[in-house]
Every structure is written in structure tokens, then in C-alpha cells.
Amino acid sequence: MQKLANMPTTKQFAKFAVVGLASLAVDYALMLVLVEWMHIDLLFSTTVSFIASVIVNYALSMRFVFEHKEDMSRKREFTIFAILSAIGLGLNDLYMFVGVAVFNIGYQFMKLVSTFLVTWYNYFSRRRFLDGSRA
């Protein structure tokens, strides 16, 4: 029975995906503006856009996807969310660097690949550490 409790629910993951698409829109659009219009370094732009999307993602995720754990303060909740997101940022930047610099993949496409890969980490880590409905 414990194994079933760890499985993602289709409804919850669907909500997570919608929130993720909204966050991706912020992330991708801001990255393009910073790189193409403002001519800011790619990895710096990727980092800034990712951080902006994390703020949007936190607000939407904790409102629509995950339930607040009653025994956890909002400050601690955001701190955990930020730590998990920082790990996701590290993965995102690593994938971007390897894809663009090593494999010469266009950064626009690589951003989508990176986002897809980091999404899985984000969902399962946040579900594990932040979702009060699993308690």
C-alpha cells in the first residue's frame, strides 16, 4: 500500500504540468528577451529566467498542486522549495552548458530539453518534501 501512496496521481500531475507550462512560458520568454534583445550572457540569462519562473511556480504550485503541510511554516516551506529549485537550477544550467557548449545544440531547443528533464526531478522532489496530502 505504501508504494501506491508514492505514485503520482494523474490529476495532480496534470495540474503540475499546467503550472509547469505557465512557469516555462515565463522562463523561456524572459530568457529570449535577455539573450536576444538585451544581449546578456546565455548562462546568466538562463539563471535569471529560471529564478523568475521558480517564484511563479512556487505561488501556483502551492495554490493549485500541492497541499500545505500543517506542521510546516510557510517560511520553511519556501526555503525547502527554494533549495529543491536551486538543485533544479544546477541541473538546468548543467544541461544547458553540456547541450550548447559540448554538443552544439541550439540554446532554444536545449532549453526545452532541459526543462523536460528538470520537470521530473521537480515534481518528485516537491511531492516528497512538500505535499501535505501525502501525510
Side-chain angles (χ1 to χ4, degrees), residues 84-99:
L84 296 174
S85 296
I87 295 167
L89 171 61
L91 291 170
N92 178 70
D93 285 356
L94 175 65
Y95 297 147
M96 288 297 291
F97 175 77
V98 170

Side-chain angles (χ1 to χ4, degrees), residues 27-42:
D27 191 0
Y28 197 79
L30 183 55
M31 179 194 66
L32 288 176
V33 167
L34 293 172
V35 171
E36 298 294 332
W37 294 353
M38 300 179 76
H39 306 288
I40 296 175
D41 175 75
L42 174 62

Side-chain angles (χ1 to χ4, degrees), residues 55-67:
I55 294 167
V56 169
N57 194 283
Y58 172 76
L60 296 175
S61 288
M62 297 315 293
R63 179 169 172 96
F64 298 111
V65 181
F66 302 116
E67 292 181 20

Side-chain angles (χ1 to χ4, degrees), residues 65-134:
V65 181
F66 302 116
E67 292 181 20
H68 173 71
K69 285 186 173 183
E70 294 300 322
D71 62 342
M72 185 182 297
S73 71
R74 294 286 181 177
K75 182 178 177 180
R76 181 172 175 168
E77 178 182 81
F78 184 77
T79 300
I80 291 169
F81 193 94
I83 290 168
L84 296 174
S85 296
I87 295 167
L89 171 61
L91 291 170
N92 178 70
D93 285 356
L94 175 65
Y95 297 147
M96 288 297 291
F97 175 77
V98 170
V100 174
V102 176
F103 293 112
N104 204 28
I105 298 171
Y107 79 92
Q108 300 93 332
F109 178 72
M110 193 60 216
K111 180 62 175 180
L112 298 175
V113 171
S114 176
T115 298
F116 175 79
L117 295 172
V118 173
T119 294
W120 293 100
Y121 158 77
N122 283 338
Y123 178 74
F124 287 107
S125 66
R126 291 171 188 171
R127 183 170 158 81
R128 165 83 166 87
F129 293 105
L130 297 172
D131 191 12
S133 70
R134 295 188 36 164

